[in-house]
Amino acid sequence: MLLLLALGITLCVVAWGYLVYAAIDFGSEARHDNDSQAWAYLGVAAVGAVACLFLGFMLVARFSRAMGLTQAPAPKPKRDPAAPKGGKRAAR
């Protein structure tokens, strides 16, 4: 499991780097030639880079949980049914 998570993180980082490089290239081409197709490719590459970075961060979180570096949050205590619902404002 750890090996698959590490491989996924690596692939996401490599894909992110490639997409950032492609977005920079498309952006310079779009500004130089004022090409609308290059602007569209720039947008697609930028959205793809954001998605890869987000997925990479999610995999890092799962990796750290699997390694035992982090743990799940403590469960919220059940609400007392006798207590009034709402906060101070609702109790007025």
Side-chain angles (χ1 to χ4, degrees):
M1 181 67 170
L2 290 176
L3 184 62
L4 286 176
L5 286 172
L7 182 63
I9 292 167
T10 303
L11 288 175
C12 284
V13 169
V14 169
W16 172 78
Y18 176 75
L19 287 169
V20 167
Y21 180 78
I24 291 170
D25 189 41
F26 288 134
S28 65
E29 183 180 325
R31 286 185 63 193
H32 185 300
D33 299 337
N34 201 14
D35 184 13
S36 63
Q37 190 173 10
W39 284 109
Y41 287 142
L42 167 65
V44 170
V47 170
V50 169
C52 285
L53 190 61
F54 179 76
L55 181 62
F57 281 143
M58 292 298 105
L59 291 175
V60 166
R62 291 193 65 169
F63 186 80
S64 68
R65 177 84 46 94
M67 289 284 294
L69 301 174
T70 60
Q71 48 187 309
K76 291 174 68 175
K78 300 256 184 203
R79 189 179 76 76
D80 182 20
K85 212 173 196 183
K88 292 180 183 178
R89 190 173 198 184
R92 288 187 212 166

